[in-house]
Amino acid sequence: MLVQRGRFDSPFFRSKLRVPGAPEHFVHRSRLTALLDDLATYPVTAIVAPAGSGKTAAAADWVRRTDRPTAWLTLNDSDRDPAQFWAATAAALERLAEAPASVLVVDDVHRIDDLPESRAALEEFVERRPEWLHVLLLGRRRPPLPVDRLRANGALADIDFDMLRFSDEEALAMLTGLCPDAAADDLVGIAGWADGWAAALQLAALAVRSRRELPSGPDRLVDSYVWHEVLRAERSELVGLMLSTAVVDRMNYGLAETLTGRPDAGDLLLEAEERGLFVTSLAPGGWFEVHGLVREMLLVELQRRWPERLCEQHLRAAQWFEGMGDGAAALEHWLDAGEPAEALRLLAAIVVSLVDSGRTALVERVLDRIPPEVSGADDTTRMRDSWCRLLIGAPGGDPVTTADCDVLQALAAYVAGDWPAAIAHGRGGSMDDPLGRFGWSIAAHSIAARESWDDADPLVEEARLAVGATSDRRLAHETARAVGLALAGHPLDAIRVAAGVRPVVADAEMATLLEMLDLAGAVATRELGDREDAETALRRLAADETHASTYVDVLAGLELIEARLAEGDVAEAERLLRDADRPGPHRGRVARVAVLVALAQDDVAAAERCVAELDDPFWGPLSEARVHLARGLRAEAAEAVQRATPRCTRHEVVRGLVLARAILGEDREAAAKSVAFAAELAAEHGMLQSVAAEGPTVLELVELAAWRVSDAWLDRLRRALTTEAAPVLPTAQLVEPLTERERDVLRLLPSRLTLREIAGELFVSQNTLKFHLRVIYRKLGANSRADAVATARALRLLARG
């Protein structure tokens, strides 16, 4: 193909056909070259991104590395003339000589897209391109082509600004080259500030080198670049759109119309995206966002030139978000609009859902921004402020003396761990308003935490009816039910309820309720005898002290301590107790577990001191009975058990088992009846761990009532007890220490298992078992199985019955 000579053969013209060189400290981005390799199979690829995004650098880097024959054409204003455009295109194509799989890169396509004639010329070239040619178009705006049709036909592929953004690693590599003397931590901050925009990275580096200072907000160099390179030549309607919508980080058509007051705002958004004004569509949903750095600069411009307009835009945004049901997004717009009272009003209305979804940090941030003269202006604002602070456990707030204080007092009691008071105040709320329904929700959670949940209890039913059909309150109620059932000794029902509500809670991203469901699952799983899974979950919950619910980490930690005691790991249980034993609302619950740890250490005096801290009508007398048993005072123990007032199935079971231990010496038949009642109740509801925790003596009595429980449950109980590890003291009184295998045999001796069954449990032959028994009897100085058990208990080699 022949090309005109003269002005088309000048050095200036030939410069349009040169591949741009790599800029200083260029960073090769292999992911982009690989992407361009992949997209070269399409007839046309378009890279569309705002000014300074690195389009030209990325394409030139690929051209230098590809094996394909390539030619380059950079357009300028003169190419708006169709004759000039065709001449320049022909000159570029002449260099390819029709080689197969050739590539023509056309840069700065946006320079010719504002005239119908030049647009038509470009479209004709793309439509009539030779089959052997791949065309790579670079521009700031969507090319003037039938894009949708080309995409549908598989003829066009796109690379947008998001794909061109520098990753954190790429940005740091560029900044390190441009600012070799800057501290690494400073460069990390600049990379985050630039948000992947190549021009911002380069201009920030220039500012650091020239002024020796780090950009912490909109930088004057970047600001100048935005206004002169990006927005200067744009229509006033587009610039106005971007200024008006800068108060939000993302928008859809409806929000854009509200902020601009223009019914054509949606069309302007699409035009802004097509013209490369840092507007990006977020599929799906019809939402758009503006690059954060550009938005900051627009906000600064609004604040500098039209501060009243800035407040007005925040006000419009607040009203729109609240009207659309997105109160969380509306809160800070109310504050930025200079309307803190409106922010407090809205916060009080939605604080429950915010806490349920784990967004307590947002609540704290909003409260911190509300001036005291606003939060304490009158009874209404004081109530709202105190309500929000109590819900997140934050200090501050004036006393509330309005009619709604019952609910606030319920919340305060719940946070303090005073379950009876929380129940009493919570049930005083009206069922006809959201605040009253929340009071009933507090009552339900307090019933669960108090270990008094019973689906048949009229109070529980009243709480269920009170929350009504409100979805978030109903989810909270079902979560409380799962926790309550787990703590009350209904592990199977707890797991069923938790499994039913969990998918809905997870979809709603209600983090607080998910934590409580995890707690219910862990407690129930442990009760069913699955120690490994339960302990894994309990450790995770206990280690996280950021739970919005006040008792999740405490209760998980205490359950973990009891699990360690069940395994005989008293030292670890004591260490965990030291971590949990701190002043706070759950001191009574901690004291209850502290009694068990002290008794496991044979420190009866310490256990007695812990009992003095218990005011629970069930666990107080019951713990007192355990101390009496440790002292050998069975009559006193029996009397204390009789004073224990059970509130749930688990209490009934534990009470029956401890009573049997207390009266065993005086009335074995009555003890057997008490154990039989407890075992039957436990088996009915799937309880296992609570029975096993009372030790081998209870198992012996359960064996006598075996006909009242299922074989499967009794077998699981035997296994739970035989894997219980007893606290082991130094064995100086033994003739010779027991081996680990001999200890395994010894732990099975208190059970009602036959020798054949014990051999089966240990996977040894009966002859091998008999050999171990002879050695054990010799080391213990015993003559029988019963003697061996009694001696082992005296030496603390086995848990006491």
Side-chain angles (χ1 to χ4, degrees):
M1 181 181 298
L2 296 176
V3 182
Q4 296 180 20
R5 300 301 175 186
R7 65 190 179 97
F8 297 127
D9 198 29
S10 67
F12 173 76
F13 182 82
R14 289 196 300 272
S15 70
K16 294 160 55 75
L17 307 179
R18 295 195 187 103
V19 178
E24 183 184 10
H25 303 297
F26 174 76
V27 175
H28 168 62
R29 299 195 278 169
S30 57
R31 62 181 179 86
L32 290 181
T33 54
L35 178 61
L36 286 167
D37 279 334
D38 292 340
L39 298 184
T41 58
Y42 287 79
V44 182
T45 298
I47 302 180
V48 179
S53 301
K55 302 180 293 294
T56 301
D61 185 43
W62 177 69
V63 166
R64 286 189 291 270
R65 295 172 184 275
T66 186
D67 295 330
R68 293 169 174 262
T70 60
W72 190 282
L73 172 60
T74 300
L75 300 178
N76 55 33
D77 290 344
S78 66
D79 297 306
R80 298 164 71 194
D81 178 352
Q84 168 73 12
F85 169 77
W86 283 114
T89 302
L93 290 176
E94 186 177 55
R95 298 188 169 202
L96 295 175
E98 300 187 12
S102 295
V103 178
L104 174 62
V105 182
V106 183
D107 195 6
D108 287 345
V109 173
H110 57 274
R111 303 291 289 273
I112 67 167
D113 65 358
D114 57 343
L115 292 178
E117 305 86 46
S118 56
R119 290 200 299 267
L122 177 64
E123 180 177 349
E124 182 179 1
F125 166 67
V126 170
E127 294 277 15
R128 296 174 178 270
R129 72 197 176 283
E131 291 186 2
W132 49 266
L133 181 66
H134 169 69
V135 179
L136 177 58
L137 303 175
L138 315 180
R140 298 180 183 179
R141 299 184 282 272
R142 179 175 173 173
L145 299 171
V147 171
D148 294 334
R149 176 167 59 81
L150 291 172
R151 285 174 179 159
N153 293 335
L156 175 67
D158 299 273
I159 296 176
D160 59 16
F161 177 59
D162 273 348
M163 298 179 187
L164 286 177
R165 285 181 196 257
F166 276 64
S167 68
D168 290 343
E169 294 79 8
E170 293 166 347
L172 287 174
M174 173 182 281
L175 290 169
T176 300
L178 293 171
C179 307
D181 297 330
D185 290 345
D186 292 340
L187 297 184
V188 171
I190 295 174
W193 171 81
D195 194 19
W197 183 19
L201 290 169
Q202 293 171 330
L203 292 171
L206 177 60
V208 171
R209 293 200 307 268
S210 61
R211 303 198 302 267
R212 299 294 179 183
E213 62 183 35
L214 299 174
S216 56
D219 181 80
R220 63 178 179 83
L221 292 177
V222 182
D223 181 77
S224 176
Y225 186 90
V226 168
W227 287 104
H228 289 86
E229 288 293 325
V230 179
L231 299 178
R232 182 183 60 179
E234 299 300 332
R235 295 192 297 128
S236 60
E237 292 88 346
L238 290 176
V239 177
L241 168 86
M242 298 192 68
L243 283 167
S244 296
T245 59
V247 294
V248 295
D249 56 3
R250 58 185 57 193
M251 77 209 86
N252 61 10
Y253 293 164
L255 179 53
E257 289 175 5
T258 297
L259 293 174
T260 61
R262 298 181 61 106
D264 63 345
D267 294 333
L268 291 175
L269 273 176
L270 291 172
E271 184 179 351
E273 181 183 27
E274 291 177 1
R275 295 188 66 79
L277 302 184
F278 290 95
V279 177
T280 304
S281 61
L282 306 172
W287 287 82
F288 296 78
E289 70 174 2
V290 178
H291 187 281
L293 187 54
V294 174
R295 194 170 70 85
E296 282 184 32
M297 293 174 180
L298 293 168
L299 283 173
V300 169
E301 187 70 7
L302 268 177
Q303 179 65 51
R304 183 177 66 85
R305 298 179 62 181
W306 307 287
E308 297 84 3
R309 180 181 172 188
L310 179 60
C311 287
E312 173 64 24
Q313 295 308 104
H314 279 298
L315 181 64
R316 291 184 179 189
Q319 292 170 336
W320 188 89
F321 279 117
E322 186 172 349
M324 297 301 292
D326 190 351
L331 284 170
E332 299 203 50
H333 285 296
W334 279 120
L335 292 169
D336 291 335
E339 298 289 347
E342 289 296 312
L344 182 57
R345 169 196 59 78
L346 176 59
L347 181 63
I350 67 172
V351 65
V352 174
S353 61
L354 291 178
V355 172
D356 280 347
S357 58
R359 287 181 283 181
T360 55
L362 173 60
V363 179
E364 293 172 354
R365 190 164 64 246
V366 173
L367 287 174
D368 287 344
R369 291 187 60 189
I370 297 175
E373 59 270 21
V374 173
S375 59
D378 53 39
D379 281 350
T380 299
T381 56
R382 282 196 297 273
M383 184 205 70
R384 289 169 175 167
D385 181 70
S386 297
W387 160 249
C388 296
R389 291 182 184 280
L390 279 172
L391 197 60
I392 62 171
D398 293 330
V400 178
T401 58
T402 65
D404 291 315
C405 70
D406 243 350
V407 178
L408 296 181
Q409 288 176 332
L411 180 58
Y414 177 79
V415 171
D418 187 351
W419 315 125
I423 295 168
H425 288 294
R427 65 186 299 190
S430 169
M431 299 183 185
D432 298 325
D433 67 87
L435 192 61
R437 288 193 291 271
F438 182 73
W440 277 99
S441 184
I442 294 172
H445 282 279
S446 300
I447 293 169
R450 191 172 180 255
E451 301 175 356
S452 56
W453 192 277
D454 182 351
D455 281 342
D457 184 349
L459 180 59
V460 170
E461 175 63 12
E462 197 173 0
R464 184 186 69 82
L465 295 174
V467 299
T470 306
S471 60
D472 57 345
R473 290 300 94 217
R474 178 55 59 89
L475 292 175
H477 181 84
E478 288 299 296
T479 299
R481 184 184 177 207
V483 174
L485 289 169
L487 296 177
H490 300 262
L492 296 174
D493 290 337
I495 289 175
R496 174 180 56 79
V497 172
V501 74
R502 179 181 293 276
V504 185
V505 171
D507 287 345
E509 298 182 348
M510 304 179 82
T512 301
L513 299 189
L514 280 175
E515 293 166 355
M516 298 177 72
L517 290 173
D518 288 345
L519 175 65
V523 172
T525 300
R526 179 171 175 266
E527 184 63 70
L528 291 170
D530 188 347
R531 298 173 182 174
E532 184 175 347
D533 286 349
E535 287 199 33
T536 299
L538 290 171
R539 286 189 183 280
R540 177 178 58 80
L541 291 168
D544 185 358
E545 298 182 1
T546 63
H547 302 294
S549 176
T550 58
Y551 64 80
V552 169
D553 62 316
V554 173
L555 188 54
L558 296 178
E559 285 280 329
L560 190 59
I561 292 170
E562 293 193 53
R564 290 291 83 218
L565 288 176
E567 295 290 336
D569 193 350
V570 180
E572 176 65 6
E574 182 185 21
R575 185 191 68 78
L576 292 172
L577 180 63
R578 285 197 301 270
D579 292 341
D581 192 9
R582 54 185 183 269
H586 306 289
R587 186 67 191 91
R589 207 170 207 130
V590 174
R592 181 177 100 198
V593 176
V595 170
L596 301 178
V597 175
L599 292 177
Q601 296 172 316
D602 210 19
D603 190 346
V604 181
E608 197 166 32
R609 289 193 296 271
C610 293
V611 168
E613 298 184 46
L614 284 167
D615 59 359
D616 187 287
F618 175 75
W619 290 109
L622 194 94
S623 298
E624 180 185 340
R626 294 190 190 280
V627 172
H628 287 317
L629 285 173
R631 295 187 184 278
L633 304 175
R634 294 184 178 273
E636 289 83 351
E639 186 275 331
V641 173
Q642 296 292 351
R643 286 189 279 109
T645 306
R647 300 186 295 273
C648 64
T649 302
R650 180 178 175 225
H651 291 181
E652 294 280 6
V653 169
V654 174
R655 183 178 182 273
L657 298 175
V658 176
L659 179 62
R661 291 176 55 197
I663 64 176
L664 180 60
E666 297 294 326
D667 191 342
R668 186 174 181 83
E669 182 178 354
K673 287 182 179 179
S674 184
V675 166
F677 165 77
E680 189 172 14
L681 192 59
E684 177 185 352
H685 296 287
M687 294 174 62
L688 190 75
Q689 185 57 44
S690 293
V691 179
E694 297 304 323
T697 299
V698 168
L699 176 60
E700 294 175 10
L701 293 172
V702 172
E703 297 279 4
L704 296 177
W707 60 274
R708 302 185 66 170
V709 298
S710 69
D711 291 340
W713 181 84
L714 186 57
D715 182 61
R716 288 170 52 228
L717 178 63
R718 289 168 179 158
R719 292 176 184 275
L721 275 164
T722 55
T723 54
E724 293 273 350
V728 178
L729 295 180
T731 56
Q733 301 177 55
L734 293 177
V735 175
E736 181 182 342
L738 297 177
T739 66
E740 189 62 35
R741 172 55 82 180
E742 289 162 358
R743 291 183 187 279
D744 291 339
V745 174
L746 181 63
R747 291 179 186 125
L748 293 167
L749 294 186
S751 72
R752 304 285 292 184
L753 298 176
T754 65
L755 294 184
R756 180 177 181 180
E757 290 171 332
I758 292 176
E761 289 290 329
L762 298 175
F763 301 100
V764 298
S765 68
Q766 290 190 57
N767 287 334
T768 300
L769 176 63
K770 290 177 181 178
F771 170 80
H772 286 310
L773 285 174
R774 287 196 296 271
V775 175
I776 291 170
Y777 292 169
R778 175 179 61 81
K779 291 182 177 181
L780 294 177
N783 296 316
S784 67
R785 180 173 176 176
D787 285 345
V789 171
T791 303
R793 285 175 175 163
L795 295 174
R796 297 292 306 280
L797 297 175
L798 286 174
R800 295 177 178 177

